[in-house]
Amino acid sequence: IPGGPPGSPDEDGDRFVEIWNLVFMQFEQFADGTRRDLPKPQIDTGMGLERIAAVLQGVHDNYDIDLFRTLIAASKALVAGGSNGPSHRVIADHLRSVSFLIADGVSPSNEGRGYVLRRIMRRAMRHAHLLGAEEPLMHRLAPVLVAEMGGAYPELRRAEPVIVETLRQEEERFRRTLGRGMALLDEATAKMTQGGVLSGETAFKLYDTYGFPLDLTQDAVRNKGLTVDLAGFDAAMKRQKDQAREAWTGSGQASQAAEWFAIRERVGATKFVGYETTEATGKLQALVAHGAEITETKAGETVLAVFDRTPFYAESGGQAGDVGEIEWTDGRARVLDTQKQAGDLYVHEIEILQGALEPGHDVRLAVDPQVRITTRSNHSATHLLHAALRHVLGPHVSQKGQMVDGERIRFDFSHGGPLTPDEIEKIEVEVNAVIRQNLPAVTKEMAPDEAIEAGAMALFGEKYGDSVRVLTLGRALEGEGDYSVELCGGTHVARTGDIALFKVVSEGGVAAGVRRIEALTGEAARRWLVEQAQVAKALADQFKTPVSEVLARVDALDAQRRKLEKELSEAKRQLAMGGGGSGGAPAGPEEIGGVQVIARVMDGVGGKDLRPMVEEFRKQVSDGVIALIGSADGKGAVAVAVVGGASATFNAVDLTKAAVLAMGGQGAGGRPDFAQGGAPDGGKAAEGLAAIKALLGA
């Protein structure tokens, strides 16, 4: 078999299979070329799971091991005629990678780790496209992966519904993106000839905006005998990375992070005592202002303070940091926020109201009790909401983010579409039923693995220490067991009844496949309901009807409005069709440059009414141009149709665009035979019509 060992001139051959590759990690090298010894030098053997399996199973290729054979066979079975071996290998390998990432709480996005996930997913989906897969493929392979590896990695089984749904949504989205990107690529290469070079900027736009891997663009243009300007692509990529790096370092985050770690190294972790109390004494250990440590402060200044112990909860897990007051001999301060730095350092943002504060001072720290009460009620309610969403919508629902404070709940979760009013009502009914149970909230400390084994839901992506707090709320509404069991380090109610009332006030999408519910609890929920009732009562008084009949009255008025609008639109159309348009246009077609043309300005006609009028005028012109410009509410609208043999000479998009530009607009869209556009100034309708006639040869 030809080939030589790694590092030789013939290393690309197949004679040697690499199973071990030592990497000695000894130094940290800086931009100026200097090196510093690593505190813990290491050796990376490169002996991964696949290489070990290949040796033990007696095969010479990682993709021939049992873990991959099953996935590759399933991929081949699902793609009729897809015999491309390398593509099936890419799909199998990337499926495994993305499934573990999703199970760890990563969601596809356009930044950070979510962008890495999306890149891996789209590379696999691109290979599915190359194989000719007519339907989304990846989500159908996910259960095969879970069956193969779920025994060793139970997190895959727990996250299987989320993995399947995420893959399905992302592949459907990529197929739509693929169509838009290919349209851009076709437009960019339409006038290029064999041997041409696609600009690196265009290739980067496809990559950055449409998620096209560079190799996908290269494959697409290669079929046309073209290549890609790789240097230009690399330059655009570097420019974007440099801008991102400058934005981050320019914000001071790097130096501030180093400052906090230095303080943590010196003073140790902050002891949090806020589970048991909202008041405590502590010693000031460090003051920071403008990214640097200081030794004293005075009234009127806002600084960051670290104490050895605190009852103030630092923002974490979606719960806002506590606010309150600090007092010491001859001084006091207001706590505006509490955040974590360097892992377990509780940093208080304080405004000095009176006196001077220096490290070493003993202080009394007091959390605002009312804000803490409402915050913990909202936090506990999110646990009930999470459980209700999974019961009502399905096990694919997982938390994607939350923020609870003393005002309201904002809860993000994975789901493919808007919630129906019936679904929202079922969720509210469940949550309020558990609240009315008024059962004690049970919190236990245990190891993460033990907690998950006992049925606690871990939030994928969260980092847990050696010991975790497990919160149990309520009793199952059907069958045996608890209603909600989750790992959570936040502060919570003593009994579910403390939440008092739960009300969803809005639901909407915040990202692809992610929805957001905003909700209120307790007194805030009661006030919201009272306000809604007051609105209904005011309408009832205005309509002189009972509240129960307000909706029917509004529906009747809306139906009457739609009927009048339809009648008005029809009257305008009849008036226009009868030659009542302005601009001195004749009732029938006129001839411009040898072409039959109907060109009119329609006063009082909006954009949505132009198209049906164009269709009516088609009855009078079987070969020519129909150009209508509407003017209503100060705005203009243009619609142009090119019919019959005139389409060989004129393009509706070009004609529409000329009119829109003449009227102060930006452009138009449509097809060569029909296009529409809008303009901000309906008073320039005559200018728009003149621009069209000029192109027609008038």
Side-chain angles (χ1 to χ4, degrees), residues 529-555:
L529 291 170
V530 168
E531 289 169 1
Q532 301 303 301
Q534 289 173 342
V535 171
K537 179 65 166 58
L539 288 172
D541 292 344
Q542 186 174 346
F543 294 149
K544 295 181 174 55
T545 186
V547 170
S548 60
E549 296 179 13
V550 166
L551 184 58
R553 180 77 172 119
V554 171
D555 287 342

Side-chain angles (χ1 to χ4, degrees), residues 571-589 598-603 613 616-617 620 628:
K572 289 178 180 178
R573 190 184 70 82
Q574 293 292 343
L575 181 63
M577 297 301 295
S582 66
I598 290 181
R600 294 188 182 177
V601 173
M602 305 297 199
D603 292 325
M613 291 183 179
E616 286 290 333
F617 278 119
Q620 300 181 35
L628 305 182

Side-chain angles (χ1 to χ4, degrees), residues 444-459:
K444 295 181 180 179
E445 295 266 355
M446 58 181 72
D449 291 344
E450 179 188 357
I452 294 171
E453 188 67 27
M457 181 182 296
L459 297 182

Side-chain angles (χ1 to χ4, degrees), residues 626-683:
I626 303 162
L628 305 182
I629 299 183
S631 176
D633 299 325
K635 296 182 179 180
V638 182
V640 176
V642 180
V643 297
S647 59
T649 307
F650 301 108
N651 184 302
V653 175
D654 294 338
L655 295 171
T656 305
K657 189 178 296 184
V660 170
L661 292 174
M663 297 169 65
Q666 297 297 316
R671 306 183 308 272
D673 63 331
F674 180 80
Q676 287 182 287
D681 190 355

Side-chain angles (χ1 to χ4, degrees), residues 297-302 324-328 330-336 350-357:
T297 186
K298 57 183 182 296
E301 294 182 334
T302 298
E325 291 189 346
I326 298 174
E327 293 181 348
W328 63 95
D330 301 326
R332 62 190 184 92
R334 180 184 297 115
V335 178
L336 307 175
I350 64 173
E351 178 188 1
I352 307 297
L353 302 177
Q354 178 185 327
L357 186 61

Side-chain angles (χ1 to χ4, degrees), residues 291-578:
E293 198 166 352
I294 59 176
T295 57
E296 63 177 342
T297 186
K298 57 183 182 296
E301 294 182 334
T302 298
V303 298
L304 303 176
V306 177
F307 303 93
D308 61 343
R309 61 201 302 268
T310 182
F312 283 79
Y313 183 83
E315 181 176 322
S316 180
Q319 177 177 330
D322 278 331
V323 297
E325 291 189 346
I326 298 174
E327 293 181 348
W328 63 95
T329 304
D330 301 326
R332 62 190 184 92
R334 180 184 297 115
V335 178
L336 307 175
D337 191 14
T338 312
Q339 297 283 331
K340 274 186 184 178
Q341 295 289 354
D344 49 15
L345 208 60
Y346 284 54
V347 178
H348 308 69
E349 181 184 359
I350 64 173
E351 178 188 1
I352 307 297
L353 302 177
Q354 178 185 327
L357 186 61
E358 299 178 5
H361 277 181
D362 292 320
V363 302
R364 184 184 72 86
L365 302 105
V367 175
D368 185 315
Q370 190 56 46
V371 174
R372 168 68 77 85
I373 288 171
T374 53
T375 299
R376 71 187 187 190
S377 291
N378 286 339
H379 196 172
S380 297
T382 63
H383 285 239
L384 302 183
L385 171 61
H386 193 187
L389 285 166
R390 292 173 65 85
H391 295 159
V392 174
L393 303 179
H396 68 276
V397 169
S398 65
Q399 179 178 324
K400 291 300 179 184
Q402 70 171 16
M403 177 51 69
V404 293
D405 53 24
E407 296 180 2
R408 65 175 54 207
I409 294 165
R410 290 174 291 278
F411 188 83
D412 297 348
F413 59 97
S414 58
H415 189 57
L419 272 62
T420 66
D422 182 58
E423 289 170 337
I424 292 175
E425 182 179 5
K426 288 179 179 178
I427 290 164
E428 290 181 341
V429 167
E430 272 206 22
V431 172
N432 282 298
V434 178
I435 289 172
R436 290 194 300 273
Q437 291 174 352
N438 197 27
L439 293 174
V442 179
T443 304
K444 295 181 180 179
E445 295 266 355
M446 58 181 72
D449 291 344
E450 179 188 357
I452 294 171
E453 188 67 27
M457 181 182 296
L459 297 182
F460 298 117
E462 287 289 318
K463 292 182 174 63
Y464 299 106
D466 296 333
S467 178
V468 295
R469 292 171 64 86
V470 180
L471 176 71
T472 302
L473 292 171
R475 184 176 57 248
L477 298 176
E478 295 181 4
E480 300 294 324
D482 301 310
Y483 185 77
S484 169
V485 184
E486 287 191 34
L487 276 60
C488 183
T491 60
H492 290 278
V493 296
R495 309 180 70 90
T496 60
D498 295 344
I499 302 171
L501 177 63
F502 173 84
K503 177 62 185 169
V504 174
V505 296
S506 71
E507 186 276 336
V510 293
V514 179
R515 311 293 298 177
R516 170 174 294 172
I517 277 180
E518 294 199 4
L520 302 171
T521 65
E523 176 60 17
R526 187 197 70 82
R527 287 199 306 270
W528 188 89
L529 291 170
V530 168
E531 289 169 1
Q532 301 303 301
Q534 289 173 342
V535 171
K537 179 65 166 58
L539 288 172
D541 292 344
Q542 186 174 346
F543 294 149
K544 295 181 174 55
T545 186
V547 170
S548 60
E549 296 179 13
V550 166
L551 184 58
R553 180 77 172 119
V554 171
D555 287 342
L557 288 172
D558 189 48
Q560 183 180 9
R561 177 188 58 81
R562 289 196 302 269
K563 179 174 178 291
L564 292 173
E565 286 181 348
K566 185 176 180 181
E567 291 175 353
L568 178 60
S569 177
E570 179 63 19
K572 289 178 180 178
R573 190 184 70 82
Q574 293 292 343
L575 181 63
M577 297 301 295

